[in-house]
Amino acid sequence: MKERVFFKTFGCRTNIYDTELLKGYVRDFELTNDAKEASIVVVNSCTVTNGADSGLKSYLHALQKEGKRVILTGCAAVSRGREFLDGGKIFGVLGAGEKARLNDFLKAKHKFYALGDLNFIDKDIVKDYENHTKAFVKIQEGCDYACAYCIIPAVRGKSRSVREENVLEQVKILVQNGYSELVLTGTNIGSYGLKEGTSLGRLLQKMGQIQGLRRIRLGSLEPAQIDESFREILDEAWLERHLHIALQHSSERMLRIMRRRSHTENDLRLFESLRAKGFALGTDFIVAHPGESEEIWQEALENFKALRLTHLHAFIFSPRAKTPSALMKNTISGAVAKERLHTLRQIVRENNRDFRARNKIPLEILIESEKNGFYEGYDQFFNKMRIKSERDLSKQWLVLEDYDLRAEFNEARA
């Protein structure tokens, strides 16, 4: 009987893609969706915050107690792999550039540390996603930015892009395999193709011409990456009407402390122009970064309200080892940080409900799951819809005109 392997994924959409790619390299073992059945666990890790590190450490400790053989890959393999290996928490460390050799490492008789380098770009593609109604397409890897707080360039490397013809071929295969909604992902997708003389906007223009593709969702973009080629596709029906543009803060002084490339005045103009086109808008926001004085916070809060965001991924600053921010003084107390985080979330929660109330238009939903007697999916504005139905709606597209507003989602019968 073949040994069984279980995959555990932490973190972002890019890791979801990488896990599916890793599964495709397993030949001499049996995959299982039940960790209890597995003798080997491959952990695809995240290290973007202290919380991510803490969750990973707890999970590894639990696996160690169960006697599992653990292979660590993903971002934390670079930042903490040696520590976990030497501490006896794991059996092996597999760098992202070594993914294609996974089957051999699963057969290893001795502990190993195989990080490889950070210049790789995946040559293989994912053609199918188990238990997913939408598919992920990784178009890019790494980041050339040098934000003061961020460890990601150190663990993902410099920005490099998947060849355009390879991306388009993957999209065609996924559409043929029944996936009509795609999510483009990567470390910094807005930098796609810049070193090759092209851009994300040009790639999207070509993707949009593929028959059978109904909706394209995008990962996080940087403000400066909304260039002319991207603006040309803003009215296309296949582009989701929600954009996530990573600002990280809304105070000009804090952006300089963070070593960001954007400027608040430009950000406000950009968001105003996108709102005018009917987009729901989200952002990342780091609360309580060193130097976030009360004066800076009040400036940020005023600008934040003007952004009129409908979605938010906000978190409290976590010092990452060997980053400039980790060495900065003027830290903010935990109580103040939590209060500021709550304030931002409450503003966006109210904005989102107001947006849904104002945009009572037909909503297009792809059913993704069934929970507690309701089918669930997301509309073109990336707002959740819960649907009560006697019919089997699994993986269907629905256009709903009659629905009710709830505090954090819409609800309908079909």
Side-chain angles (χ1 to χ4, degrees):
M1 178 182 285
K2 291 182 178 180
E3 279 191 274
R4 291 176 176 173
V5 180
F6 175 76
F7 283 82
K8 174 67 175 179
T9 305
F10 288 91
C12 62
R13 292 165 173 171
T14 302
N15 274 8
I16 294 174
Y17 179 92
D18 286 343
T19 292
E20 294 302 317
L21 197 57
L22 282 162
K23 288 179 180 178
Y25 294 126
V26 177
R27 296 183 300 276
D28 300 321
F29 300 79
E30 182 180 335
L31 299 179
T32 177
N33 290 322
D34 187 347
K36 295 179 181 178
E37 297 178 349
S39 57
I40 305 172
V41 178
V42 179
V43 180
N44 194 358
S45 60
C46 173
T47 191
V48 72
T49 64
N50 283 334
D53 277 353
S54 178
L56 172 63
K57 192 171 182 178
S58 296
Y59 186 69
L60 294 179
H61 180 69
L63 293 178
Q64 185 182 30
K65 289 175 63 177
E66 295 171 10
K68 307 289 188 185
R69 194 186 334 159
V70 180
I71 295 174
L72 182 68
T73 189
C75 291
V78 181
S79 63
R80 304 193 67 183
R82 175 57 71 182
E83 170 195 341
F84 289 137
L85 186 67
D86 292 346
K89 298 287 186 184
I90 58 177
F91 181 80
V93 175
L94 186 73
E98 301 289 331
K99 284 196 287 284
R101 300 174 61 199
L102 174 62
N103 194 74
D104 292 334
F105 282 112
L106 288 172
K107 294 187 285 187
K109 302 300 182 185
H110 304 286
K111 290 188 174 186
F112 61 89
Y113 185 81
L115 270 189
D117 61 49
L118 293 179
N119 299 315
F120 75 94
I121 194 72
D122 294 323
K123 296 179 181 178
D124 299 302
I125 62 175
V126 177
K127 300 178 182 179
D128 199 9
Y129 284 85
E130 186 179 10
N131 301 321
H132 283 278
T133 54
K134 58 180 181 288
F136 300 87
V137 178
K138 187 166 78 170
I139 64 171
Q140 178 274 341
E141 184 73 76
C143 183
D144 289 341
Y145 284 32
C147 302
Y149 51 83
C150 189
I151 195 175
I152 297 304
V155 297
R156 286 280 186 178
K158 293 290 187 180
S159 179
R160 59 256 187 221
S161 301
V162 179
R163 290 168 61 92
E164 182 182 274
E165 54 266 39
N166 292 355
V167 174
L168 296 175
E169 181 62 25
Q170 182 180 16
V171 170
K172 291 175 184 176
I173 292 171
L174 287 168
V175 171
Q176 290 169 3
N177 288 343
Y179 295 97
S180 54
E181 178 175 318
L182 301 182
V183 182
L184 299 195
T185 185
T187 314
N188 184 355
I189 65 168
S191 65
Y192 178 83
L194 297 182
K195 295 177 180 177
E196 293 76 32
T198 185
S199 67
L200 175 62
R202 294 189 185 97
L203 174 68
L204 286 167
Q205 288 171 11
K206 294 179 180 180
M207 285 181 60
Q209 297 173 17
I210 296 174
Q211 292 295 315
L213 183 55
R214 185 159 176 172
R215 184 155 68 198
I216 301 175
R217 294 195 184 278
L218 303 175
S220 181
L221 301 169
E222 293 288 327
Q225 295 165 346
I226 311 295
D227 62 5
E228 192 56 40
S229 68
F230 192 89
R231 290 180 182 276
E232 289 175 2
I233 54 97
L234 289 176
D235 294 324
E236 296 288 353
W238 42 260
L239 180 67
E240 66 166 339
R241 308 310 293 169
H242 163 266
L243 292 173
H244 187 95
I245 303 172
L247 301 183
Q248 308 300 352
H249 215 275
S250 50
S251 159
E252 180 66 24
R253 284 178 287 176
M254 183 53 68
L255 291 178
R256 304 285 68 78
I257 293 171
M258 289 177 163
R259 302 185 186 180
R260 294 283 293 159
R261 296 187 182 186
S262 57
H263 295 274
T264 301
E265 186 176 337
N266 295 339
D267 294 342
L268 289 167
R269 282 200 298 267
L270 172 63
F271 276 57
E272 183 179 5
S273 68
L274 294 172
R275 278 201 314 274
K277 281 189 165 290
F279 281 89
L281 298 170
T283 199
D284 295 328
F285 199 104
I286 299 174
V287 172
H289 185 283
E292 191 184 70
S293 65
E294 182 62 27
E295 183 182 2
I296 284 178
W297 168 249
Q298 290 301 326
E299 173 200 341
L301 191 57
E302 181 180 352
N303 290 329
F304 186 88
K305 291 175 181 177
L307 291 168
R308 289 161 57 186
L309 297 167
T310 56
H311 297 73
L312 180 67
H313 178 219
F315 48 93
I316 295 171
F317 169 74
S318 290
R320 304 284 77 203
K322 300 180 181 179
T323 62
S325 293
L327 303 175
M328 293 180 186
K329 308 297 182 183
N330 303 320
T331 55
I332 313 303
S333 76
V336 170
K338 289 179 181 178
E339 181 183 354
R340 291 176 179 178
L341 182 64
H342 174 77
T343 297
L344 297 186
R345 287 175 172 170
Q346 185 61 34
I347 290 169
V348 175
R349 193 175 294 116
E350 293 172 4
N351 286 351
N352 182 274
R353 195 183 192 290
D354 289 345
F355 180 92
R356 288 184 286 119
R358 291 196 315 271
N359 289 272
K360 286 284 287 184
I361 64 173
L363 299 177
E364 299 181 34
I365 297 98
L366 173 61
I367 301 300
E368 297 184 14
S369 62
E370 185 181 4
K371 297 177 183 177
N372 302 318
F374 286 87
Y375 289 96
E376 294 186 357
Y378 288 84
D379 64 26
Q380 62 266 40
F381 301 108
F382 199 48
N383 289 317
K384 182 187 289 187
M385 175 72 78
R386 296 203 325 167
I387 305 165
K388 195 75 173 177
S389 179
E390 301 303 319
R391 298 182 289 129
D392 183 3
L393 302 180
S394 303
K395 300 184 179 181
Q396 291 187 31
W397 280 95
L398 300 176
V399 178
L400 298 176
E401 299 184 28
D402 186 17
Y403 50 89
D404 298 316
L405 267 66
R406 300 290 186 248
E408 296 185 357
F409 52 84
N410 294 321
E411 193 169 285
R413 297 191 66 88

